[in-house]
Amino acid sequence: NAGVTQTPKFRILKIGQSMTLQCTQDMNHNYMYWYRQDPGMGLKLIYYSVGAGITDKGEVPNGYNVSRSTTEDFPLRLELAAPSQTSVYFCASQGLARPYEQYFGPGTRLTVT
Amino acid sequence: TQLLEQSPQFLSIQEGENLTVYCNSSSVFSSLQWYRQEPGEGPVLLVTVVTGGEVKKLKRLTFQFGDARKDSSLHITAAQTGDTGLYLCAGARNAGNMLTFGGGTRLMVKP
């Protein structure tokens, strides 16, 4: 049981480049989330999804886009990378049986130079 | 401004000492979670508290939810080097699914 997996683990982007951070969960969870964590800080919610085909903005959505075509996958897209997007990105999922408990992936460390 | 304020931000103690970490808010939460995060990894859930005044124990860790459900504490007895990490509290405002995270307490336990 892999839980929540994220790829890539590390990435360096130049300003203006685009990339997609992948997230997959195998727990059949309805809810999925993307967070960013800046050094020494807590997590800020970027986007979330309550099920396939449904997404909504979180606290810091600017510069990002998401899609949820399947229950398992929730990719995060950066269209025009900026240095302010240098951060560690975490994907999380949550099931209906335990509605307040989120399970996190290992993170993607992104540097934009 | 953080909706959830954690204190202290940093804590460095010797192995065997006791410590308490606080998570405070002016808002009421329907539930509160504590996570531990180790370097290079995602947060791992330690406990969820949902009832005002609730106390939960996890080996040497004791978690308490305030009576008014606005604050929580984490107490570690006889800290071990393996307790080193970033401790995050997170609250859910209602029966919905979004969590608000505190800024974290970075704990270092020295041998």
Side-chain angles (χ1 to χ4, degrees):
Chain A
N1 190 342
V4 180
T5 56
Q6 291 183 239
T7 57
K9 198 159 179 61
F10 303 95
R11 184 72 186 267
I12 298 174
L13 281 182
K14 294 190 186 303
I15 294 171
Q17 286 185 322
S18 301
M19 77 164 294
T20 299
L21 282 68
Q22 302 291 346
C23 175
T24 300
Q25 55 94 6
D26 63 0
M27 297 174 282
N28 201 32
H29 284 172
N30 288 65
Y31 304 109
M32 295 187 74
Y33 307 84
W34 274 105
Y35 295 92
R36 60 176 287 172
Q37 185 177 37
D38 297 325
M41 304 290 285
L43 286 83
K44 292 188 188 297
L45 182 66
I46 305 171
Y47 269 95
Y48 67 100
S49 169
V50 300
I54 306 169
T55 63
D56 210 345
K57 296 178 181 178
E59 184 184 359
V60 290
N62 292 343
Y64 307 95
N65 273 301
V66 293
S67 60
R68 185 96 182 270
S69 57
T70 67
T71 299
E72 295 77 19
D73 300 306
F74 190 40
L76 177 72
R77 178 86 179 155
L78 283 71
E79 289 295 348
L80 290 170
S84 61
Q85 294 177 304
T86 294
S87 191
V88 182
Y89 291 84
F90 289 100
C91 178
S93 72
Q94 178 182 311
L96 293 174
R98 303 178 74 84
Y100 302 117
E101 298 179 359
Q102 296 187 9
Y103 297 86
F104 286 81
T108 293
R109 183 175 296 275
L110 176 67
T111 301
V112 182
T113 62
Chain B
T1 302
Q2 294 270 6
L3 190 60
L4 277 170
E5 297 282 348
Q6 286 189 241
S7 61
Q9 285 186 288
F10 302 97
L11 190 55
S12 180
I13 61 171
Q14 295 295 134
E15 200 168 28
E17 291 183 359
N18 302 331
L19 67 115
T20 303
V21 174
Y22 300 94
C23 176
N24 296 304
S25 177
S26 58
S27 300
V28 175
F29 291 96
S30 58
S31 73
L32 198 135
Q33 293 80 47
W34 284 93
Y35 293 81
R36 180 167 67 215
Q37 185 180 15
E38 299 190 20
E41 298 182 9
V44 175
L45 180 67
L46 295 174
V47 78
T48 300
V49 285
V50 295
T51 306
E54 182 177 3
V55 176
K56 281 192 174 179
K57 289 183 185 285
L58 186 66
K59 296 184 181 178
R60 294 175 293 101
L61 278 61
T62 301
F63 305 85
Q64 183 161 10
F65 202 11
D67 291 341
R69 291 185 289 131
K70 292 182 179 181
D71 53 81
S72 181
S73 64
L74 158 60
H75 181 80
I76 301 179
T77 303
Q80 300 177 356
T81 55
D83 296 326
T84 292
L86 179 68
Y87 288 81
L88 296 161
C89 67
R93 296 287 299 276
N94 50 41
N97 312 300
M98 290 173 61
L99 291 178
T100 298
F101 280 82
T105 293
R106 191 165 296 280
L107 171 66
M108 176 171 287
V109 182
K110 296 178 285 189

